[in-house]
Amino acid sequence: MEVRTRKNAQPEAKARRQDVHTRPKSRALFEAIREHILEGRYLPGQWLKQAELESTYGASRSDVRSALSSLSERGIVEYSRNRGFRVFNREPREIRDIIEMIVVLEAAAARSILGNASASDIEELEHLARKFDDLTEKGSHAELRLTNYRFHDQLNALCGNRIMADTIRHLRECCVSGPFERYTTFEGLRASSREHFEIIDALQSGDARKLKDLLRRHTTHST
């Protein structure tokens, strides 16, 4: 698959990705590999062989190296001296620590999200929630994971604090090796889908306390 980029990126896209290598080809490659890791095409602990990536994405060795270095900086892959890059496979305790940070940040963002969410914002979230719900019946594991990431990206972006939203996004991506047991059963998928709609209901009702509690439960998968 050859990675192609548009000549003129949108200003907001540039702002969101300022931590990524500035060369267009390596930036597009970063996004492609990142998405494939998040969707589960590359598994936790899997070595990312640069020669294979060059062939798969139609990219040069230098662009592959730049993209992998940026993914390493984001904590999605890790670099091992004299061995190369592999998808990060974090210990359960580290995953718990990261989730704890996500919960704290999302709770801090909840009130701002409520204050900033417009009717059209909520409509877009509903669209993603309905898409996820439909995918529980007929979608792939990859589609479900990516749609879930997009739902939370869109939600957290409403806090109005780009640094906070980006931090939450990066922390969520660092949990790519986290427990996805919920996605292995239909009951787990349906529970996750219901919680998306409950989060939207809390937004519509303007209930900050309820939104904080729902985000905590949804992130930790607690009852």
Side-chain angles (χ1 to χ4, degrees), residues 95-163:
I95 293 290
R96 289 195 298 271
D97 289 344
I98 293 172
I99 289 174
E100 183 178 320
M101 293 172 65
I102 294 171
V103 169
V104 170
L105 289 172
E106 288 184 335
R111 190 168 294 279
S112 295
I113 290 172
L114 281 173
N116 293 330
S118 66
S120 61
D121 291 327
I122 294 174
E123 185 177 345
E124 290 177 12
L125 286 169
E126 286 180 318
H127 170 74
L128 288 170
R130 286 193 298 270
K131 180 178 180 180
F132 184 93
D133 194 62
D134 290 342
L135 289 170
T136 63
E137 297 276 359
K138 55 188 178 184
S140 67
H141 186 78
E143 291 173 312
L144 283 160
R145 287 178 59 161
L146 287 178
T147 302
N148 185 64
Y149 275 112
R150 287 165 184 159
F151 176 88
H152 288 283
D153 277 355
Q154 189 118 349
L155 177 69
N156 290 314
L158 296 176
C159 75
N161 183 326
R162 184 179 59 81
I163 295 175

